[in-house]
Amino acid sequence: MKKYIAALSIAFALLTSCASFLEEHPEDRFVIGNFYASESDAEAAVNAIYQQLYSIYNRNMFLLNDLTTDGEKNGLGMPNQFLQDLEYLRFNSENTFIRDMWRDNYSGISRANAAIVNVPSVTMNETSKARLIGEAKFLRGLFYFNLVRFFGDVPLILKLESINDAMLPRSSVAEVYQQVVSDLGDAAAALPVSYGAADMGRVTAGAAKILLGKVYLTLGEYQRSADVLAEVITREGDYGYGLHENYGDNWKSETEAGREAVLYIEYMDPPGTGNNAMVLCGPKYSMPGGFAVLGINNGNEADIPTLDLYTQFADDDERKAATFRTDFVSLIDGSVHRSSIPLFTKYWEEGERIGGNSDANIHILRYADALLLYAEALNELDRTDDALVQLNRVRKRAFNTDEASYGSLTKEAFREAVWQERRLELAFEGHRWFDLVRTGRFIQQMKAHAALEASLAETSKTEIGRNVQEHMVLMPIPQREIDLNPLLTQNSGY
């Protein structure tokens, strides 16, 4: 996606700033009055919204969704106290990573609002105009979906003509979800099913429907979730979706933007931006010689898997080898070196000598996620046999055999099976905390995780079991935001 996103940070900052910048109407700089003058301006404004995905999903979504749960922990290369607090569930309203999640989503909303308000007045092709507005609404819906899941009640800002428009009290969860559903419904109606090669990576009608299905499932509206997901899944060929034959193809440069990619962040070699997750997940301390013996110029051992997660995978589950690695091949002489612990390698580019240049994409939505969401919704509607068909598509791909398929299951057993498949299928992709919270399992699971990790790896992990509290199904409102906006209130327990 990155190659379609203009670098507009400086210009667009003026477009989304307060009214005092707009009153002079200068002719020598970008402002609302002279920016939205052409189709290329409108497209540049929408591209700037996409650009915000990098700040949100590059690493921060993993940290808040995986480090706070049973899937990720800090390695020896990460002494950052705010990250330690996330892992051990002792974070508070001063945590910088939680603050960044709030700030970056609202920054994206600000950009989306500017486009939604101003693009309609641009003289341009009406079909293209409707598509650009649909893209902006999809992205605004995504940003608010992130915020309402993390923080609950949040300010619902739909315009920003002056600084006062941002100084709002928190709107209810119901109001925010109503806006998310409206935005995604509008996007699904306006967006095309596919694009030509010049626009690959932009949001499609299929992506809007899949995300809307996820929203409905989160709300417990199972019939609506199943209905909207079925519109895509029963016609997946028309939408160009399907599962790769090999799970690991989702992170290989030749195939990662293929049929399983619904919404993703494109990374590439210079002069593009590389995925620095490779830098933060490598064997710096767990392997003698670390990155140097592999011929890789730099890296750290910061974001590593828990043994709790690693031990969930069967050895013949092909997702295990794609998600983790202990053996690494030196680019210097081809020798094999072994890490003493498993490490995340979904975003590891084989043969890359500069760790920060990995071109492995990050998936925001993957088609396997849609199949599992659909299966979950069908099961809750007492259509467990139909749900098994979808679940077994993911299961059979993971083991590359029909023999791995689930047989007849009760409704309750199916729930456990689909939740487990989501854990394995989507590991280290930024979904776990959301899944545990929406299914009401966060507190219980984190207590079990604390006990298991203490027995497998670190006795200090018992602290997690002591720290986890009922109010942690929401994140704290960042104190800096409360200081700036006196109408904001804090979530209970913080």
Side-chain angles (χ1 to χ4, degrees), residues 4-9 12-13 15 35 42-53 107-108 111-112 139 143 202:
Y4 314 108
I5 299 174
L8 300 173
S9 299
F12 209 82
L15 301 182
F35 179 78
E43 184 165 337
V46 173
N47 287 348
I49 313 170
Y50 280 102
Q51 189 181 52
Q52 196 62 27
L53 295 173
S107 178
R111 296 179 182 200
L139 292 166
F143 297 143
R202 305 189 80 93

Side-chain angles (χ1 to χ4, degrees), residues 60-101:
N60 212 17
M61 190 61 75
F62 304 152
L63 294 177
L64 295 195
N65 260 288
D66 293 298
L67 186 57
T68 56
T69 66
D70 50 9
E72 182 188 342
K73 62 183 179 181
N74 290 293
L76 293 177
M78 189 45 63
N80 184 298
Q81 186 59 54
F82 292 118
L83 291 179
Q84 296 291 335
D85 290 343
L86 290 176
E87 179 185 351
Y88 284 88
L89 301 184
R90 54 187 181 226
F91 52 82
N92 58 34
S93 61
E94 300 286 355
N95 191 282
T96 59
F97 297 95
I98 296 174
R99 181 195 67 198
D100 289 348
M101 183 59 70

Side-chain angles (χ1 to χ4, degrees), residues 233-268:
I233 292 170
T234 60
R235 296 176 49 218
E236 63 181 33
D238 296 335
Y239 285 88
Y241 294 142
L243 296 180
H244 287 301
E245 182 177 348
N246 299 308
Y247 177 76
D249 286 348
N250 285 297
W251 297 276
K252 293 179 179 177
S253 59
E254 304 84 8
T255 49
E256 61 189 358
R259 58 187 176 181
E260 199 163 338
V262 176
L263 179 64
Y264 59 94
I265 299 177
E266 178 76 38
Y267 291 100
M268 60 186 68

Side-chain angles (χ1 to χ4, degrees), residues 135-148:
E135 290 178 68
K137 286 190 173 183
F138 173 94
L139 292 166
R140 184 172 69 179
L142 173 63
F143 297 143
Y144 270 122
F145 187 38
N146 289 337
L147 288 168
V148 74

